[in-house]
Amino acid sequence: MTSLPTSPAVLPSPGARPGGGARARLHSRRRNAAALYALPAFAWFVIFLVGPLASVFVMSMQNGTTLIAKSEFVGLRNFERVFADPLFWKAMSNTALQLVIVVPIMVVLGFMLGYYLFLKPPFAGALRIIFFTSSLLSASTKAMIFYSLLSPNGLVNQLLSAVGLDALTTSWLANSATALPVIMIVDLWAGIGFLAILFSAQLTSVSGDIIEASRIDGCGHWRSMWHVAFGMVQGFVGVIAMLQFLWTLFLSATNVLLLTKGGPGTSSQTLSFLIYTKAFEQSDIGYSQAVGVVLFVTGILGAILIRSVLRSRT
Amino acid sequence: MNTRTRRPALVLAAASTAAALALAGCTAGGGSDADSITILTAASPGTPGGDLFQSVIDDFTEESGITVNVEFGGEEVPLVFETSVAANKQADLVNINPVANPLSWIDNGIVVPVDEYLDEWGLTDRLLPAALAEWTRDSDGQVQGFPFEGYQWPVWFNTALFEQAGVDIPTTTDELIDAAAALRAAGIQPFAIGGNDWSGQKLLLQIAQSYLTPEEAKEVFTNGGWCSTPAALKGLELFVELRDAGVFIDDAGGLEASSMSAAFYTGQAAMMSAGSWEMANVEESLAPNVLFGGFPVPADGEYDLPTAYQGTANGYWISTKGVEKIDLIRQFIEYLYSPEVAARYVNEAQVITALETDPALLDSDINPLLAQITSELPATVEYAVHPDKYIPGTLTEQFIRQTALAFQPGTTADAACAALDSVYGG
Amino acid sequence: MTAPAVARRRRSRPRTTPLMGLAHVVVWLYAAALVLPLYFLLVSSLKNNTEIFSAGFALPPEWRFDNYLKAWSFTSLGDALLNSAYVTIGAEILIVIVSIPAAYGIARSDGWLGKLVERSLALGFLIPGFAALVPTVFLAIGLGLYRTREFLVLYYVAGAIPLSVILLAQYMRAIPKELEEAATVEGANRFQILVRIYGPLVMPALATVLLLNFINIWNEYIVALVIAGSTIDTRTVQVALPTLVTNQLSQYGVLAAGTIITLVPVYLCYLLLKKRMENALISGALKG
């Protein structure tokens, strides 16, 4: 099995270049020659991804309104407006809640389920197919499924009524108490199974025999899972946790847009949806991009934090 | 060695650039010949209005020799137009409603006022005064475009269901509450509404202005002050009272306009609040039972008769690029607004136009619903202030999320007014 | 792989501890939570609203295939599928053209330049392109490609480059240098080496990359919505699908049918290439 692509690039590769002298320079040029093949791809990447990302910082300091209006430099005024706006803080606290709940649940349950799959329980093949199938669903497909399930006379309310829990039926997507939880559940629903597949593959490739041996030695499943198996793939879990953090942070706008549009009221506003709605609904691009900077910085800091926490425990 | 290794890389770079450019080339179409104009519209083919539009254009081309290129912008015409301006590829004419973003187009210099054309082309006297007023800017009196389609936005009553429940059509809010109870007793849902989208927003604002004069309503819509204006708060209290009395369909807060019409069309609910554009969707079996009226009013309110909305839906805006072809545009507008073509819209697409229609040109077997809504409805209702012209366009989506909150059971009038005011805050 | 050995050894040990029993129950409850909505989707696609709302789980009393026809015609799904295919295939072709040389360059360069490029790409993999949605719109406008499928193609290629290049480069590193040196002695230049020697050898990794990008690009929603928009000429299936909610008077059967139609290409792909697809998903750690 292949591992995540992030690890090799971050590790220093052996054979550091000898320095100094004309010969060495020539040598260095030759060694770099092959890398020129990467330039078209790299240029493409810079133009379409890095460039726009850098522009976020520029636009956060301009007073842009619509896509057509001219904009001028206004310094940090957008940030002042953002930090003074209750809507921003609502979005911030929703996003924090979402991260604190979704990421740990997803990673912990995903790991436990992955360990279960790794043990090759009965019907493991069927389970894998089920988990994979749900990983193939696009965001709009998942949204349509949940839209039908959660509509006022949808399946969820039908089931609740059928078992006599009429009191619990509600308009799930339009109730300010349930809108944000629903967004989180849609993420978790297919996400746990997908992470489980990743973890079980990793466990199989890294540590099959060792864990097996610990089982023979009489460790219980619980001990074996957390003390042996987790230790073996801890680095991988860390990378996944970091990625899951970034995905949840950046991509929540899609589910929110498709299911609740941030409402009712402001109950399901998130930071990434705020960027979308300020730019495309409310013609306030300066504000939107200031939030973009906040989001980006949060992402970087969070990723570094998760990485260092999981490293220090090794 | 170096040059030899570098060349393939350059070739690749060139090849990928060329591929990119070739792909880009595919879209560089869009004719700008001297004998053609381009129109951006939301009327997509497959809808009654869209099909008629296409047929009108074909006839126009045949008659005048002028080619008309149609671009379909779907629900995002304003955004499509603004970005095409940024790319300097804008259409000559834009067909869109005078709400939200388009209201800033004259200020942004991307469309031109049409005052002088209205007179020169002889349209001023033929357009309905109300329509013309709606398209005239309050700030400087300039007319933003040519109003074309109009609409009525009444309450729809299913008379068969009212008979079944044994109650009369309500005209006051007290009667409405009693009627709702009777309908519910007969197993019928009273008032269908999409509390989670624009349909709920319009209805809430219709009820909320019950105690406001039109001038006060405009002021509150424009600048907020829902909590600090006693009459506005009283209107919201009325809304809460109706909601808690079970006037609206179950789970109204979770529904959208499409569920609303579905509930009404399937006979599940006895009332709904919908625009005349919905008439094309009414099945023949239901049509005889549909009665148009206004939303019941409180006995001590500002309005004596039940209220409805009216306005113009879409019209035509001339882009600054279109001015260069003003003669071709004149020919098109004169053709489209001719009595014969306007009558086709009424006859074939059940569209209310912003023009005085010559009764002689209308089909004798005119759709009975259309006849009812154009000739009978206006005498039985008063028209409430339509919020779209006054609530700042950039706040609309946020506003709708807040009105959705008010449809949730348990939201008090105080909470609702605070939620609405919060939109105007930042 | 040691799986067979492991399996054999396990069979001999006591199977069910209480904890394991609980695990079976919980896992299958979760599996049911994943399957039931899909089952509901499938049966709903053959029912009308009354049937869906009265008995959501029951099999359709009569099979209403016209839901599929309605979904197809109401959203012009045919056009949308063509647009999605155009965007996905166009992007895949360009990805192959730029990623293979790039991966080769990185795999065979041991200088600072290769390392710099690889590390930058690895960082790019972390940040979803969505973070810069608004400037991306301006880029599209600037290139005169706003509201076109072509910009989506160019954009998706850029989004796919980090992962594709890094995966391919990892794979190419494992190819012995001796093969290349032998060819150099025979007078082949780097380009010929790339095409003749690396081309065939990287096929398995390339297939993984293509599959992964296929799923990612086919399923992408928000950039497609903002850049290509929801007009019929340019919208992808993912953008067309949600329009069923508003323009279909909430006919959930039609909605379900439309959803299933958009699932077919990806699911077919999965059934045909099950094993490879699973490896692709795992190696790419893909998310929808």
Side-chain angles (χ1 to χ4, degrees):
Chain A
M1 299 276 170
T2 334
S3 67
L4 264 192
T6 41
S7 38
V10 182
L11 295 171
S13 61
R17 173 173 66 94
R23 252 187 82 189
R25 242 180 326 227
L26 182 71
H27 190 61
S28 140
R29 210 180 291 158
R30 199 177 300 157
R31 296 177 127 203
N32 284 324
L36 293 174
Y37 281 81
L39 287 190
F42 190 65
W44 202 308
F45 165 76
V46 168
I47 293 170
F48 287 95
L49 290 181
V50 181
L53 205 54
S55 312
V56 171
F57 288 83
V58 177
M59 290 164 66
S60 73
M61 288 188 274
Q62 294 177 333
N63 61 354
T65 53
T66 63
L67 293 175
I68 47 166
K70 292 196 173 57
S71 52
E72 288 163 7
F73 179 81
V74 293
L76 297 177
R77 208 174 303 156
N78 289 325
F79 290 92
E80 288 168 20
R81 284 167 56 217
V82 166
F83 293 131
D85 186 355
L87 182 61
F88 167 78
W89 292 107
K90 177 71 183 173
M92 189 69 152
S93 72
N94 280 346
T95 296
L97 198 63
Q98 198 185 14
L99 289 170
V100 167
I101 293 176
V102 169
V103 178
I105 291 186
M106 188 103 101
V107 173
V108 170
L109 291 187
F111 175 76
M112 290 171 71
L113 187 58
Y115 179 77
Y116 176 87
L117 279 183
F118 158 77
L119 295 178
K120 301 217 161 42
F123 308 108
L127 285 174
R128 298 176 79 86
I129 290 177
I130 292 171
F131 296 158
F132 263 115
T133 305
S134 24
S135 315
L136 292 175
L137 304 177
S138 69
S140 47
T141 307
K142 279 185 264 188
M144 290 309 103
I145 293 174
F146 276 86
Y147 179 83
S148 317
L149 289 176
L150 298 173
S151 73
N153 34 16
L155 192 63
V156 170
N157 282 347
Q158 278 180 44
L159 288 179
L160 287 173
S161 305
V163 296
L165 292 172
D166 283 298
L168 291 181
T169 62
T170 179
S171 308
W172 298 94
L173 293 170
N175 180 331
S176 36
T178 54
L180 187 66
V182 164
I183 299 288
M184 297 196 246
I185 287 170
V186 173
D187 264 346
L188 287 169
W189 178 68
I192 293 173
F194 177 64
L195 290 198
I197 303 257
L198 294 185
F199 287 134
S200 90
Q202 189 69 8
L203 282 168
T204 310
S205 68
V206 172
S207 52
D209 282 339
I210 300 174
I211 296 168
E212 211 29 59
S214 78
R215 288 282 308 132
I216 304 285
D217 291 346
C219 283
H221 273 300
W222 190 259
R223 273 182 64 90
S224 158
M225 171 165 67
W226 289 115
H227 292 267
V228 184
F230 184 75
M232 303 300 298
V233 294
Q234 189 172 347
F236 183 77
V237 175
V239 173
I240 292 289
M242 189 171 74
L243 283 175
Q244 189 57 54
F245 168 80
L246 291 168
W247 285 327
T248 309
L249 180 66
F250 284 106
L251 300 179
S252 66
T254 308
N255 280 341
V256 174
L257 178 64
L258 283 164
L259 286 169
T260 66
K261 297 208 165 69
T266 55
S267 59
S268 58
Q269 276 281 359
T270 66
L271 280 187
S272 75
F273 182 70
L274 191 59
I275 296 178
Y276 175 89
T277 163
K278 282 288 175 185
F280 298 110
E281 281 176 5
Q282 298 178 33
S283 304
D284 197 346
I285 285 176
Y287 182 115
S288 154
Q289 297 308 283
V291 179
V293 170
V294 173
L295 187 77
F296 188 75
V297 171
T298 312
I300 300 287
L301 292 180
I304 292 174
L305 184 74
I306 291 176
R307 222 180 141 69
S308 58
V309 165
L310 280 152
R311 263 198 181 160
S312 66
R313 288 194 44 206
T314 319
Chain B
M1 173 82 194
N2 258 337
T3 45
R4 236 183 68 197
T5 51
R6 201 172 287 160
R7 201 176 304 122
L10 288 176
V11 170
L12 274 173
S16 47
T17 317
L21 290 176
L23 280 167
C26 303
T27 55
S32 54
D33 345 333
D35 281 343
S36 76
I37 53 172
T38 308
I39 301 178
L40 174 66
T41 178
S44 57
T47 62
D51 290 342
L52 175 60
F53 185 60
Q54 193 55 53
S55 136
V56 166
I57 281 173
D58 293 343
D59 294 351
F60 171 67
T61 302
E62 200 171 304
E63 200 168 288
S64 65
I66 298 169
T67 314
V68 179
N69 303 310
V70 182
E71 292 173 1
F72 297 106
E75 288 168 15
E76 300 158 45
V77 166
L79 194 58
V80 172
F81 180 64
E82 291 182 2
T83 50
S84 65
V85 171
N88 199 27
K89 283 200 221 161
Q90 67 268 48
D92 301 311
L93 273 178
V94 188
N95 172 223
I96 186 67
N97 304 15
V99 291
N101 276 19
L103 297 180
S104 66
W105 282 355
I106 286 188
D107 294 329
N108 282 329
I110 62 179
V111 299
V112 294
V114 300
D115 307 51
E116 49 171 325
Y117 306 125
L118 278 170
D119 290 334
E120 283 173 27
W121 304 349
L123 284 171
T124 312
D125 298 332
R126 296 190 40 228
L127 286 166
L128 297 173
L132 208 50
E134 197 182 334
W135 283 69
T136 305
R137 283 151 59 100
D138 288 342
S139 55
D140 54 14
Q142 290 182 321
V143 183
Q144 310 179 81
F146 307 106
F148 186 67
E149 284 185 25
Y151 61 81
Q152 296 282 327
W153 195 329
V155 174
W156 301 41
F157 297 92
N158 184 330
T159 51
L161 296 180
F162 273 88
E163 271 168 38
Q164 194 184 322
V167 277
D168 292 332
I169 304 292
T171 57
T172 68
T173 45
D174 291 336
E175 288 171 17
L176 177 63
I177 289 173
D178 295 340
L183 286 162
R184 282 187 179 273
I188 300 162
Q189 290 285 326
F191 202 109
I193 191 68
N196 204 16
D197 71 2
W198 50 267
S199 63
Q201 177 225 13
K202 297 296 178 298
L203 182 68
L204 180 138
L205 292 175
Q206 193 174 345
I207 299 169
Q209 62 177 298
S210 297
Y211 300 98
L212 295 168
T213 65
E215 287 316 308
E216 288 167 343
K218 287 173 193 172
E219 165 62 22
V220 177
F221 289 165
T222 311
N223 298 317
W226 291 90
C227 294
S228 55
T229 311
L233 188 57
K234 197 174 170 193
L236 288 172
E237 280 162 0
L238 174 66
F239 172 83
V240 169
E241 186 192 343
L242 295 176
R243 183 196 69 203
D244 293 344
V247 165
F248 305 122
I249 188 170
D250 291 348
D251 298 309
L255 300 178
E256 283 150 20
S258 53
S259 331
M260 165 186 80
S261 3
F264 184 81
Y265 291 152
T266 55
Q268 198 193 340
M271 296 169 270
M272 72 167 175
S273 160
S276 49
W277 58 84
E278 281 277 357
M279 286 187 302
N281 296 325
V282 178
E283 285 181 29
E284 273 179 35
S285 57
L286 180 67
N289 299 335
V290 174
L291 175 74
F292 295 119
F295 192 89
V297 289
D300 53 346
E302 274 295 321
Y303 293 88
D304 300 325
L305 292 174
T307 58
Y309 290 128
Q310 67 173 350
T312 49
N314 61 65
Y316 290 84
W317 309 61
I318 304 180
S319 79
T320 38
K321 205 175 188 180
V323 179
E324 296 162 17
K325 298 179 180 173
I326 198 67
D327 189 53
L328 302 184
I329 289 183
R330 176 186 56 78
Q331 293 183 49
F332 176 75
I333 294 287
E334 283 180 354
Y335 179 81
L336 185 68
Y337 284 71
S338 66
E340 293 76 17
V341 175
R344 281 187 69 186
Y345 270 81
V346 184
N347 291 330
E348 295 171 34
Q350 280 101 53
V351 161
I352 301 171
T353 66
L355 293 160
E356 311 273 5
T357 330
D358 180 356
L361 289 169
L362 297 180
D363 289 349
S364 51
D365 59 341
I366 182 175
N367 180 312
L369 286 180
L370 185 65
Q372 190 196 142
I373 211 167
T374 47
S375 54
E376 294 166 31
L377 176 73
T380 62
V381 297
E382 282 184 84
Y383 290 99
V385 177
H386 197 299
D388 278 355
K389 197 181 173 191
Y390 301 98
I391 294 175
T394 54
L395 301 183
T396 303
E397 291 295 326
Q398 223 182 325
F399 203 90
I400 289 173
R401 290 193 273 273
Q402 303 298 347
T403 55
L405 206 55
F407 276 91
Q408 291 300 319
T411 307
T412 63
D414 288 331
C417 77
L420 296 185
D421 279 336
S422 75
V423 175
Y424 298 86
Chain C
M1 290 276 176
T2 54
V6 171
R8 214 174 309 121
R9 216 184 302 160
R10 181 151 29 80
R11 220 164 281 141
S12 61
R13 72 161 190 257
R15 187 109 212 180
T16 334
T17 62
L19 189 67
M20 204 56 193
L22 180 68
H24 289 315
V25 172
V26 173
V27 168
W28 280 97
L29 279 178
Y30 173 58
L34 288 175
V35 171
L36 286 182
L38 295 176
Y39 167 81
F40 173 68
L41 187 71
L42 198 63
V43 292
S44 296
S45 75
L46 298 165
K47 295 177 176 177
N48 63 23
N49 269 5
T50 322
E51 290 154 3
I52 294 173
F53 293 148
S54 57
F57 271 129
L59 285 171
E62 75 181 279
W63 292 42
R64 301 180 191 277
F65 284 110
D66 61 328
N67 282 346
Y68 283 84
L69 295 177
K70 281 185 192 164
W72 182 272
S73 61
F74 286 147
T75 47
S76 308
L77 266 187
D79 294 271
L81 284 168
L82 283 179
N83 288 336
S84 279
Y86 175 87
V87 168
T88 310
I89 294 170
E92 293 272 45
I93 292 172
L94 290 175
I95 289 168
V96 173
I97 294 177
V98 298
S99 293
I100 291 189
Y104 169 77
I106 288 174
R108 281 298 168 253
S109 147
D110 39 12
W112 57 271
L113 188 57
K115 221 168 288 168
L116 177 78
V117 169
E118 187 173 12
R119 285 194 187 176
S120 316
L121 291 180
L123 284 178
F125 173 74
L126 291 179
I127 304 299
F130 166 74
L133 189 59
V134 174
T136 305
V137 171
F138 281 98
L139 180 63
I141 294 173
L143 292 174
L145 293 175
Y146 189 58
R147 302 272 145 182
T148 65
R149 301 171 299 177
E150 286 71 24
F151 188 83
L152 274 190
V153 172
L154 298 177
Y155 178 81
Y156 288 150
V157 171
I161 280 175
L163 187 61
S164 310
V165 171
I166 290 170
L167 275 180
L168 287 171
Q170 269 187 46
Y171 195 84
M172 286 186 183
R173 281 211 177 89
I175 297 174
K177 265 193 171 165
E178 289 72 30
L179 275 177
E180 183 174 353
E181 278 156 13
T184 318
V185 171
E186 286 165 25
N189 64 28
R190 276 194 195 263
F191 187 69
Q192 290 165 326
I193 290 170
L194 180 57
V195 172
R196 290 200 206 131
I197 299 179
Y198 281 80
L201 285 174
V202 296
M203 271 309 158
L206 188 62
T208 299
V209 164
L210 288 178
L211 272 175
L212 197 57
N213 290 324
F214 175 82
I215 305 166
N216 272 340
I217 296 173
W218 186 271
N219 281 350
E220 204 285 327
Y221 172 72
I222 204 160
V223 178
L225 172 75
V226 172
I227 299 284
S230 55
T231 55
I232 291 170
D233 335 352
T234 53
R235 72 183 179 195
T236 64
V237 278
Q238 306 302 336
V239 178
L241 179 62
T243 63
L244 273 176
V245 172
T246 43
N247 75 6
Q248 271 324 295
L249 300 180
S250 298
Q251 293 182 40
Y252 289 88
V254 178
L255 184 62
T259 308
I260 287 176
I261 295 175
T262 65
L263 276 178
V264 167
V266 175
Y267 205 72
L268 271 185
C269 203
Y270 173 65
L271 289 181
L272 287 175
L273 301 162
K274 192 160 154 287
K275 195 71 203 165
R276 180 154 273 164
M277 182 78 112
E278 295 187 358
N279 289 342
L281 283 169
I282 288 164
S283 57
L286 138 121
K287 290 295 287 198

